[in-house]
Amino acid sequence: WILTAFLSCAGLTAGCATPPPALPVALPQLTPPPAATAPCEVYVLPPNATRADLDEGYVRRGAQIAACDAARRMALETLEAEHALEAEALRRAGRERR
């Protein structure tokens, strides 16, 4: 009886555990530019910093913040473009099936 109960339970479980249906279309994948995935640099003051080091730090950090924001913007634009392409592909696939 134990073997019969085990096989019955396994059969019922396997019947419910079917994989979800595959998507009807291959969704587009965009590769973000390398600058969008690179970590941002941060200028660190050297030990025993002088006034000149502080001035250089302000200029460098300002440029680094601008570059990091541009990279973040590129990554976001790539992601939004990929989502738009995916939505368009799914919309077309839905229209073709009808």
Side-chain angles (χ1 to χ4, degrees):
W1 288 106
I2 294 174
L3 180 61
T4 304
F6 173 74
L7 292 175
S8 298
C9 184
L12 290 173
T13 303
C16 294
T18 58
L23 290 174
V25 294
L27 297 178
Q29 295 282 316
L30 297 180
T31 304
T37 59
C40 295
E41 294 181 28
V42 176
Y43 176 76
V44 178
L45 289 173
N48 302 322
T50 64
R51 175 68 185 204
D53 293 328
L54 288 172
D55 291 340
E56 180 184 357
Y58 285 126
V59 172
R60 273 188 162 179
R61 282 223 175 156
Q64 289 171 335
I65 289 170
C68 191
D69 187 53
R72 183 202 55 80
R73 198 173 319 114
M74 264 193 298
L76 182 61
E77 288 170 359
T78 302
L79 181 67
E80 289 173 345
E82 184 175 297
H83 283 255
L85 288 172
E86 288 173 351
E88 177 66 20
L90 290 173
R91 187 181 59 76
R92 284 185 181 175
R95 192 174 353 149
E96 291 172 1
R97 274 192 275 145
R98 291 179 189 168

